[in-house]
Amino acid sequence: MRTIKIKTALKSVLFISLFQLNFVLAQDNTHEMAELSISKTHQDESLMWHAAPDFFPDCSFTILHGEMTQPNLDLYFKIESNTEVVNHTHKSPERMILMSGDLEVQYEGEDPVVVKAGSYLYGPAGKPHRAKCLDNGPCVLFIALVDTFDAVVVKE
């Protein structure tokens, strides 16, 4: 009788141990599949800069997080000194922080403003705007988009 109780107890301990091991392994797999964090400055040498579309001459961009064809895209957009960005719109609102330079920005129906590095900017979806990087450039903007990226030139 005592042998049966010991065997039953050992089976119970073994069962509980296997259950706990499976739980621990499942937790480890969850951590392996978790998204990695990102930390980059606009001066990071590992960034891959790409030429912007032709209607944004002397401008380039690099994707920080996400994909151009997907929502929730984060990127740096660089405008060289003394370069104008044509009047254009986006289907997505833009949340921006000017990382470097001095940038003059004008949204339709509003007075132009000059923003300095460290400034936050918000651009409503569909609102035409233009910009000019002044002579304290290049101007690098961090831009967070809610929707997929697009830029449509506004004909004047």
Side-chain angles (χ1 to χ4, degrees), residues 20-112:
Q20 288 177 334
L21 179 61
N22 282 334
F23 180 78
V24 168
L25 291 175
Q27 292 295 93
D28 285 346
N29 287 339
T30 302
H31 292 293
E32 287 176 21
M33 296 170 63
E35 190 172 18
L36 297 176
S37 63
I38 298 171
S39 177
K40 301 274 183 188
T41 71
H42 65 281
Q43 298 164 328
D44 194 307
E45 291 183 19
S46 70
L47 294 175
M48 300 280 295
W49 290 91
H50 308 280
D54 290 343
F55 52 84
F56 291 142
D58 296 321
C59 297
S60 55
F61 69 95
T62 184
I63 297 173
L64 299 168
H65 183 262
E67 296 180 29
M68 293 292 279
T69 60
Q70 299 296 315
N72 298 314
L73 174 68
D74 295 338
L75 58 100
Y76 283 139
F77 187 77
K78 186 189 301 182
I79 309 163
E80 296 301 328
S81 292
N82 299 307
T83 298
E84 291 188 29
V85 175
V86 299
N87 201 23
H88 65 284
T89 63
H90 306 281
K91 65 182 168 188
S92 177
E94 295 179 292
R95 292 177 181 89
M96 301 167 276
I97 297 175
L98 184 62
M99 306 301 292
S100 67
D102 295 332
L103 185 69
E104 181 180 280
V105 180
Q106 183 175 18
Y107 281 85
E108 186 177 86
E110 300 178 26
D111 292 333

